[in-house]
Amino acid sequence: RRLAAGNPAAHEPALAMSLNNLSIQLAEAGRREEELTAIEDSVEIRRRLAAANPAAHEPDLAMSLNNLSNRLAAAGLQDEALAAATEADEIEGRAAQE
């Protein structure tokens, strides 16, 4: 986070990946609230990156959205999980058309 704060362009992609991976580890440890926070932070960063450069960052955004969907479903938040999965599917569908 410190590196990304100092130089977002250089370090935010790695931070988003680290947060994505952290969410998976937290899920395996049963730390649901923390896992959701980590994956939500990853999605937030990847949304910003994808807005600036869709071709470079939308695939990673779709991956984090899929992970968010899984985490939300595990927490019993089915509507939110479906929304995240639908958004990921839309992104993947656009990429397939290109």
Side-chain angles (χ1 to χ4, degrees):
R1 290 185 190 265
R2 283 191 322 267
L3 292 172
N7 188 347
H11 298 293
E12 277 197 329
L15 174 59
M17 178 58 75
S18 293
L19 288 165
N20 186 79
N21 293 340
L22 176 62
S23 76
I24 294 167
Q25 297 302 314
L26 290 166
E28 290 177 7
R31 295 164 60 181
R32 182 157 290 146
E33 186 174 319
E34 293 169 283
E35 78 184 59
L36 281 171
T37 298
I39 193 60
E40 288 168 345
D41 289 349
S42 176
V43 168
E44 179 183 329
I45 292 166
R46 287 184 163 162
R47 280 188 200 286
R48 277 196 317 270
L49 293 169
N53 188 344
H57 298 290
E58 278 194 337
D60 290 334
L61 173 57
M63 179 184 63
S64 284
L65 285 165
N66 278 321
N67 288 337
L68 175 60
S69 175
N70 292 337
R71 304 281 65 85
L72 290 167
L77 301 169
Q78 300 306 319
D79 291 340
E80 293 90 339
L82 179 59
T86 300
E87 184 179 356
D89 186 56
E90 290 169 358
I91 292 168
E92 291 166 353
R94 283 195 306 269
Q97 292 176 351
E98 294 176 357

